């Protein structure tokens, strides 16, 4: 099974900050990685797929990079609406989610 | 508007059974692979099961293999999850989620999600 490890688990930042979340796969997944945003009581929302492709309608301040086993999600300038929990997901072999990164307002 | 609406959740005793449904609208349901994903209280997302557009391929997480069965009825634009031998640890919000890409050859990112239905397993 492919394991996904996200870091950090919690991140505190100010509005306007640039933040980066990291996701590591236990084996190479090429670029078969997605990022999701989740808010309490709402369904997860797809942000990035194939490691770096921006889903339609997602603001351009979100970007993804990486391949193989190391991936990052970057938010270039945090907006109030961005404070949420973020998950990476591999879909090379079945699916595995990372444990999540909670982004909090500092 | 593309939409997925889950139903069928509720309170069930350990060892019991429950059938979840997901109604799809505003897209060609028969062309898309579908999934069930769950989230236990205070925990992260966990993929549960996948079914291809034609039902020819199904996958399950090890945690539910042998107990849960995924199925679909393309004529009714509906996805199902039959859950048996339920355990306390199956308590979660269950989401149905669409695999992106028409006639995708396998697993893909999940681009449309329902709002979820809550399953509580407790005596």
């Amino acid at each position: 099974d492919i394991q996904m490890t996200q870091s950090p688990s919690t991140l505190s930042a100010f509005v306007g900050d640039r933040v980066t979340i990291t996701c590591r796969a236990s084996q190479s997944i090429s670029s078969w990685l997605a990022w999701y945003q989740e808010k309490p009581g709402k369904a997860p929302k797809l942000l990035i797929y194939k490691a770096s492709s921006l889903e339609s309608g997602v603001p351009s301040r979100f970007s993804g990079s990486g391949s193989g086993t190391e991936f990052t999600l970057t938010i270039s300038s945090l907006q109030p609406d961005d404070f949420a929990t973020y998950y990476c997901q591999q879909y090379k072999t079945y699916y595995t989610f990372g444990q999540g990164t909670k982004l909090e307002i500092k | 508007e593309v939409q997925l609406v889950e139903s069928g959740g509720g309170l069930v005793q350990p060892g019991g059974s429950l059938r979840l449904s997901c109604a799809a609208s505003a897209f060609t349901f028969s062309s898309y692979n579908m999934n069930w994903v769950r989230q236990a209280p205070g925990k992260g997302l966990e993929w549960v099961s996948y079914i291809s557009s034609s039902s020819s391929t199904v996958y399950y997480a090890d945690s539910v293999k042998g107990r849960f069965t995924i199925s679909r009825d393309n004529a009714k634009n509906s996805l199902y999850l039959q859950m048996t031998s339920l355990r306390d640890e199956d308590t979660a919000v269950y989401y149905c989620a669409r695999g992106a890409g028409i006639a995708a050859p396998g697993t893909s990112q999940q681009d449309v999600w329902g709002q979820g239905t809550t399953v509580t397993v407790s005596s």
Side-chain angles (χ1 to χ4, degrees):
Chain A
D1 290 8
I2 299 175
Q3 308 302 318
M4 306 299 292
T5 304
Q6 280 182 241
S7 60
S9 296
T10 306
L11 180 57
S12 296
F14 293 103
V15 171
D17 281 353
R18 178 185 180 91
V19 298
T20 297
I21 299 168
T22 298
C23 182
R24 289 186 175 85
S26 60
Q27 63 187 80
S28 177
I29 58 170
S30 184
S31 296
W32 303 116
L33 184 103
W35 290 96
Y36 299 86
Q37 177 192 69
E38 188 192 42
K39 295 182 178 180
K42 300 188 80 174
K45 175 185 175 182
L46 176 66
L47 301 174
I48 302 284
Y49 62 96
K50 215 169 181 184
S52 59
S53 296
L54 191 68
E55 175 71 353
S56 176
V58 173
S60 58
R61 62 181 180 274
F62 291 91
S63 63
S65 65
S67 65
T69 61
E70 297 266 343
F71 302 88
T72 59
L73 172 71
T74 299
I75 309 173
S76 60
S77 177
L78 275 173
Q79 299 302 299
D81 191 49
D82 299 338
F83 292 94
T85 300
Y86 293 85
Y87 293 91
C88 62
Q89 179 204 47
Q90 68 82 18
Y91 51 95
K92 178 180 186 292
T93 304
Y94 308 130
Y95 296 95
T96 314
F97 288 94
Q99 79 276 20
T101 296
K102 186 174 183 180
L103 180 54
E104 299 177 332
I105 299 177
K106 187 179 280 186
Chain B
E1 179 191 0
V2 171
Q3 198 170 13
L4 297 169
V5 179
E6 302 92 338
S7 61
L11 174 64
V12 60
Q13 292 187 336
S17 300
L18 209 57
R19 189 195 196 206
L20 305 184
S21 299
C22 172
S25 58
F27 69 97
T28 306
F29 179 73
S30 60
S31 295
Y32 289 86
N33 305 326
M34 296 295 296
N35 297 270
W36 288 98
V37 177
R38 68 184 180 184
Q39 185 170 38
K43 302 294 186 181
L45 298 170
E46 179 188 18
W47 167 75
V48 172
S49 187
Y50 159 100
I51 186 167
S52 62
S53 57
S54 65
S55 302
S56 60
T57 302
V58 296
Y59 301 133
Y60 298 96
D62 288 344
S63 58
V64 307
K65 202 173 293 183
R67 301 187 299 123
F68 289 12
T69 303
I70 191 171
S71 63
R72 65 191 295 163
D73 186 336
N74 287 342
K76 294 183 177 180
N77 292 335
S78 292
L79 174 73
Y80 306 102
L81 186 68
Q82 178 69 48
M83 305 186 294
T84 63
S85 303
L86 282 161
R87 306 167 180 167
D88 291 352
E89 55 265 34
D90 296 318
T91 295
V93 175
Y94 284 74
Y95 297 101
C96 67
R98 188 179 80 172
I102 292 177
T107 53
S108 61
Q109 70 276 13
Q110 286 130 8
D111 64 347
V112 178
W113 295 66
Q115 288 302 304
T117 188
T118 300
V119 172
T120 303
V121 184
S122 175
S123 54

